[in-house]
Amino acid sequence: MIRVAIADDHPEMRVALRLLLNMNKEIEIVCVTSNGQEAVDCVKRLQPDVLVMDIHMPVLDGFAATKQITDLPVPTRVILMSTDRGIFITRQAADVGAQGFVLKDDVAKSLLPAIETVHRGEQFFRE
């Protein structure tokens, strides 16, 4: 079982991600948050295996939240998502410690493989 947390400020995206991930019996959603600070708090409290997080969020953006999470003594691996594309975004995601990056418009196809890949300890970056 892969324990997954979701962080996105758009309610519709949170619902869509839940629906997508609930289709896989090997994934358990342990928390759903709407900003980066809530995501950090979730990771501290529940230590999910993987956190799937939007980059652009209120209170604390995904880059800053990822940096805080990777500085914690927890095993959580982070996959960042965005509608932004390009090598700059993926490089920035890697620089703050994310193990993966997927485009939001490709999430239906890429998210499950990304979660499985980073859970195995590998990286998954798609521009």
Side-chain angles (χ1 to χ4, degrees), residues 32-88:
V32 179
T33 66
S34 62
N35 68 59
Q37 186 58 58
E38 290 174 355
V40 172
D41 295 342
C42 167
V43 168
K44 286 179 182 176
R45 192 174 71 256
L46 300 173
Q47 297 186 16
D49 298 313
V50 178
L51 168 64
V52 176
M53 181 166 46
D54 187 17
I55 289 174
H56 302 291
M57 289 192 299
V59 183
L60 191 64
D61 71 27
F63 291 130
T66 299
K67 181 65 177 133
Q68 285 188 24
I69 290 164
T70 58
D71 288 343
L72 295 172
V74 297
T76 303
R77 302 180 66 76
V78 179
I79 298 171
L80 290 173
M81 304 178 298
S82 181
T83 56
D84 300 337
R85 59 180 66 233
I87 190 70
F88 175 75

Side-chain angles (χ1 to χ4, degrees), residues 102-121:
V102 295
L103 290 168
K104 279 191 169 183
D105 59 0
D106 194 38
V107 77
K109 185 173 72 173
S110 295
L111 188 57
L112 290 172
I115 289 170
E116 292 166 351
T117 299
V118 302
H119 185 251
R120 285 193 308 265

Side-chain angles (χ1 to χ4, degrees), residues 18-37:
R18 276 184 129 153
L19 289 171
L20 175 66
L21 297 180
N22 280 333
M23 293 182 353
N24 187 315
K25 301 298 182 207
E26 297 300 313
I27 291 179
E28 174 190 8
I29 299 172
V30 297
C31 74
V32 179
T33 66
S34 62
N35 68 59
Q37 186 58 58

